[in-house]
Amino acid sequence: MVFCRFRCEVTPACRLSFFEQIRRLTEVPGIAFTNFQSGPNVSPEGYGMSFSDGFMMDFASRDDCFSYLAHPIHQAIGARLLEALEDGAQGLLVFDIDLETHEKPSGKTRPVLHQYRNPGSSGAAQPND
């Protein structure tokens, strides 16, 4: 999970463009992730610490994650993203969870692939494809 605190002049369309560029990294040979989702923070609780937007994805293995992190295209997108954030890297929170070491829920969860929330829409998830 990655949470972003964008500078106020970065438009919703520009934010969405960053997330679409990241989502499309799955089309690059050597990068593999699933369940990509992104969108604005819509929590009514008020504990978002000014992080306005975020995205998340699943990796099948640590090696897949490290391949993504080391890939030059990911690094280039990441560098541009940092330029769009308040205080650069201080406007970014990365939170990784190793799901293999945590207890699984007893029920099935519904996978949602390649979706984002468009802040201008009704709030319902919209497919990118």
Side-chain angles (χ1 to χ4, degrees):
M1 293 175 278
V2 177
F3 305 106
C4 303
R5 188 179 299 127
F6 283 99
R7 293 189 334 258
C8 57
E9 67 269 17
V10 178
T11 66
C14 185
R15 297 170 191 204
L16 185 59
S17 175
F18 277 116
F19 298 147
E20 179 61 13
Q21 290 173 53
I22 295 165
R23 184 195 68 81
R24 292 186 62 123
L25 285 172
T26 60
E27 300 168 8
V28 175
I31 296 180
F33 57 81
T34 60
N35 298 327
F36 183 86
Q37 296 185 56
S38 65
N41 180 1
V42 295
S43 173
E45 296 176 296
Y47 297 116
M49 298 171 49
S50 300
F51 288 99
S52 57
D53 298 81
F55 64 93
M56 62 184 206
M57 73 266 281
D58 294 334
F59 293 95
S61 69
R62 289 183 68 76
D63 287 344
D64 286 345
C65 181
F66 290 137
S67 293
Y68 161 80
L69 293 172
H71 199 284
I73 297 174
H74 165 261
Q75 291 182 357
I77 294 169
R80 289 192 308 274
L81 177 64
L82 288 178
E83 292 173 0
L85 300 179
E86 251 181 57
D87 300 319
Q90 296 301 310
L92 189 71
L93 173 63
V94 178
F95 194 95
D96 295 339
I97 298 173
D98 183 350
L99 297 176
E100 295 303 314
T101 62
H102 288 77
E103 187 175 320
K104 304 280 189 230
S106 58
K108 287 189 170 189
T109 58
R110 179 179 61 91
V112 180
L113 301 177
H114 304 297
Q115 292 191 346
Y116 69 91
R117 292 191 181 275
N118 183 340
S121 72
S122 66
Q126 302 292 318
N128 278 336
D129 298 331

